Amino acid sequence: MSQSSPVATDSNGVIQAIRDRFADLVRFGVNRVPRQASQSEPGAEGWDSDDEEAEGFFEADENIAMIGSMQVHLIIILTLGLFQLRRPADEDAVVILSPVPEYEQPIETIQEFVVSDQVQPDIGADALAELDLAEASAATFAEIANLPNPVELEPTDLGQVMVNQMFSQPVAPQNRLVDRKGRVGTGTAGAAGAVDQITFEIMQAAEERPTLVVWLFDQSGSLRRQRQDIRDRFDRVYRELGLMMNQQVEEPIFNAPEPRVLTSIIGFGDKVQLYTEEPTADLDEIKSVVDSIPVDHSGVERVFTAIESATDQYKSLRRNVSPLGPKRKILFVVVTDERGDDAARMESSIAACRNWGIPVYVIGVPAPFGREHTLVKYVDPDPTYDQSPQFAQVDAGPETLLPERVQLSFTGDFEAEPVIDSGFGPYGLTRLCYETGGQFFAVHPNRNVNREVRRGEIDAFSSDMRYFFDPTAMVRYRPDYLAPQDYLDAVKNSALRRALVDAALVKGVSGIRAPQTRFVKRDEAGLAALLTAAQQQDAARLEPMLGMLASKLEQGLSARETETSPRWLAGFDLAYGRVLAQKVRTETYNAILAQAKRGMPFENPKNNTWVLQASDEITVGSKWQREANTAREFLSGVIEAHPGTPWALLAKKELDVPIGWKWTETFTNLDPPRQRRGGNNNNNTPRDDRKRMLNKAPTRPVPKL
């Protein structure tokens, strides 16, 4: 049995009530209740017949008016009663009246590349084992850190960054740059892989609006091979993907149709040169221009100057020349293997790109962890010269504005300490990508996160980096890409950060380097002289500097519990642990030599030589034992809290070396037999070998890279 609708029931009740009310009103109008006597009624003073006639006239007239008014109101009420009454809607309720119809599944838009380890011939493949590294999202990081306050930094330690605001107000739509920041931790094993990902960005831009792609090439000799790799990739980028290079705009919004994607080429070294007078869509012309870019031997890379020049050259395309917006989108793609020599223009180039809404993509190199310089394997590009590899220094780092790693090598020899990938690019170029909504690609052909890369495996024109790290482990350790003044304020406002940067800015400090450990006793005076010389040479001059570093770092201990950044915590704990370990190792070396000068008898009377061996046992003082325990605690904490990072690697290497020393004894023959040298100094070099030496290819010095 169907149940009547509550809405209909309510409507019928209202109509019935209106009808009953109308009947009552009609009866009331016909049978009026007599009024009480007044001065105007019969029998009262001043009443006459004319008044009686008027009373009858007005009573009839009132009845007619009342009935007419009720009829009009009844019509209105009945009309309103015809409308359906509704209950208040429940916004949270969901009522499904019928099954959801089946629609054709929409085509999903690809938001990122899925990378393969295999080299593929098609576009979008890995292109030389590309890795999708740590993509740092900007939305989760504050632009200016909110931290407490300590001391001012020395102006001489900070340097100066010139800021030149090119435009007073942005004139291009900036919606895409307000909340969006770039990606800064993308690594790749080849430039071709980076080009494939940039191709995807170009395609997305071209789908929205006609696009200009400006390629800015570093003209240094070390980048010759990478330029060739990118040039070879242009065939696949512009032809196989298409990118509507030669496709006309179907519904032109400007006066004349034009190619959807145009390309321009700029080279930079000591000077900036535009190699395409007009942007072009001709692929053969683009390849020919890249092939003809000359090598700049000055060793100077003015990359930020090139960025500003390109912005000034093409900013007219970003003006609102129609009601629909700017004429073209613009993307800058920078190809370089250094950090740039004009960092003073970093802020002005960032401002220019943001003002005109131009994202910057950089195909660069990984910055060495905590270092400004690294070594590049150089092989002379001219085969008529000696092809033996040589190593030249280049400026590729650091990954931060100021050093955040104490420059304290394990042996004091630059080449003896392995260079480590920081997981990010040089600070200036990476911040440029970050602030403009672009992306930095750190290219190294020998990238391997599973083991150490040996020096013999390094490709020509690649940096000598031995260790790389899993991108998932490095996501949390993104550097602070703040404006210089904001970065300095954050450092000054934290005792821990200030202590770490102060210690990292100290140059020329090292632990005890290859100390003398063998002391032959010919007599007591001779042994004492040897011990004293070793103290003066190896320990005495190092102790004050190491003590000073330890004191600087101790000032940051009070803020350690309130520091929330894993990067700053890892850096501080590693620095404090290493400095304490080196300090104890150096001071106990000095102390144990002083102990030996007071006299030590050999257990075996035949022995005549004392030998120092590294040991975890400290026998010269409880003070050093406590410091050694603290050093081990900090270093072990770094390994446990920050696994798979550069900090954990260096902490383990420090712990692998015992902190203390112990004496052992042995025998040294003081009168060894004289060795005879045969051949009477005759030159017995075979004739064939001499001929080969004469025909050896000539060598020439490595140019400045």
Side-chain angles (χ1 to χ4, degrees), residues 583-592 618 620 624 659-661:
K583 176 177 177 289
V584 172
R585 192 177 293 121
T586 302
E587 291 179 349
T588 53
Y589 176 84
N590 192 14
I592 205 168
I618 296 178
V620 290
W624 288 306
I659 296 179
W661 305 92

Side-chain angles (χ1 to χ4, degrees), residues 315-460:
K315 64 186 179 184
S316 60
L317 299 179
R318 293 295 293 153
R319 291 196 175 98
N320 293 332
V321 296
S322 81
L324 298 179
K327 185 174 182 179
R328 280 187 178 271
K329 284 194 170 187
I330 300 177
L331 284 79
F332 288 167
V333 183
V334 180
V335 184
T336 183
D337 61 353
E338 294 197 40
R339 69 184 181 194
D341 295 303
D342 54 348
R345 303 182 74 95
M346 174 182 64
E347 290 301 306
S348 57
S349 62
I350 291 174
C353 290
R354 286 184 60 85
N355 284 340
W356 296 101
I358 302 174
V360 181
Y361 298 83
V362 175
I363 302 175
V365 293
F369 178 59
R371 287 184 172 184
E372 294 185 36
H373 314 293
T374 186
L375 299 176
V376 167
K377 184 177 181 179
Y378 178 82
V379 177
D380 200 308
D382 189 342
T384 61
Y385 287 90
D386 184 13
Q387 297 296 291
S388 300
Q390 305 176 69
F391 285 86
Q393 180 175 286
V394 296
D395 302 330
E399 74 278 17
T400 53
L401 176 63
L402 293 178
E404 297 174 5
R405 173 191 170 195
V406 174
Q407 301 297 310
L408 187 64
S409 63
F410 294 99
T411 64
D413 184 353
F414 175 85
E415 294 192 23
E417 182 185 9
V419 180
I420 300 172
D421 173 26
S422 67
F424 302 92
Y427 168 79
L429 288 173
T430 309
R431 182 164 179 265
L432 175 67
C433 297
Y434 174 76
E435 290 290 349
T436 60
Q439 189 169 356
F440 188 97
F441 297 90
V443 178
H444 197 290
N446 309 110
R447 182 183 299 275
N448 190 325
V449 300
N450 298 316
R451 62 172 179 83
E452 179 183 0
V453 178
R454 294 181 293 273
R455 197 170 204 182
E457 298 175 305
I458 301 295
D459 286 1

Side-chain angles (χ1 to χ4, degrees), residues 165 167 169-181 311 318-320 326 330 350-359 435-437:
Q165 185 73 21
F167 309 105
Q169 294 182 351
V171 294
Q174 294 296 300
N175 293 338
R176 69 184 297 273
L177 293 180
V178 172
D179 296 320
R180 175 182 171 182
K181 296 294 185 181
T311 305
R318 293 295 293 153
R319 291 196 175 98
N320 293 332
I330 300 177
I350 291 174
C353 290
R354 286 184 60 85
N355 284 340
W356 296 101
I358 302 174
E435 290 290 349
T436 60

Side-chain angles (χ1 to χ4, degrees), residues 660-704:
W661 305 92
K662 68 177 181 180
W663 285 113
T664 60
E665 59 183 64
T666 186
F667 174 78
T668 300
N669 189 352
L670 300 179
D671 190 18
R674 188 173 182 179
Q675 295 183 352
R676 299 182 58 185
R677 299 181 60 185
N680 296 323
N681 295 326
N682 292 330
N683 187 358
N684 295 323
T685 305
R687 185 174 301 175
D688 291 341
D689 289 346
R690 283 186 300 212
K691 183 177 181 180
R692 279 195 292 268
M693 286 189 291
L694 291 174
N695 294 332
K696 186 178 179 180
T699 61
R700 56 179 176 177
V702 178
K704 186 176 181 182

